[in-house]
């Protein structure tokens, strides 16, 4: 729900929270479809800072091997 909040700072921080969860050991079990969710978020988001956070998360996830949609 936070990714649809009308306040951009809530959406920005929601992306950072998902990123933090994914960086935990076994974080992919906590949010198994995080990369797909964030990719959809990127397509809909208008706030530049929220988009930057999402891109940072996806880039980091792809670099450490989480990859998902980025490694298909």
């Amino acid at each position: 729900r936070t990714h649809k909040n009308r306040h951009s700072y809530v959406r920005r921080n929601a992306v950072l929270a998902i990123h933090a969860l994914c960086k935990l050991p076994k974080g992919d079990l906590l949010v198994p479809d995080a990369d797909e969710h964030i990719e959809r978020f990127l397509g809909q988001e208008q706030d530049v800072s929220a988009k930057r956070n999402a891109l940072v998360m996806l880039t980091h996830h792809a670099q450490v091997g989480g990859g998902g949609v980025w490694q298909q």
Side-chain angles (χ1 to χ4, degrees):
R1 289 185 177 199
T2 56
H3 67 282
K4 295 181 180 181
N5 195 291
R6 67 185 177 121
H7 297 292
S8 61
Y9 71 91
V10 174
R11 297 189 307 272
R12 265 193 310 265
N13 289 327
V15 171
L16 291 176
I18 292 172
H19 186 196
L21 287 172
C22 289
K23 287 171 43 176
L24 292 172
K26 308 243 185 211
D28 56 334
L29 298 176
L30 294 172
V31 190
D33 60 344
D35 49 353
E36 290 93 357
H37 181 73
I38 296 299
E39 187 177 17
R40 281 192 309 271
F41 172 82
L42 254 176
Q44 299 170 355
E45 183 57 47
Q46 298 298 315
D47 181 65
V48 177
S49 295
K51 281 186 166 192
R52 180 191 58 84
N53 290 349
L55 188 57
V56 166
M57 185 233 156
L58 288 174
T59 303
H60 179 264
H61 200 230
Q63 287 175 345
V64 297
V69 297
W70 289 83
Q71 292 185 353
Q72 291 179 352

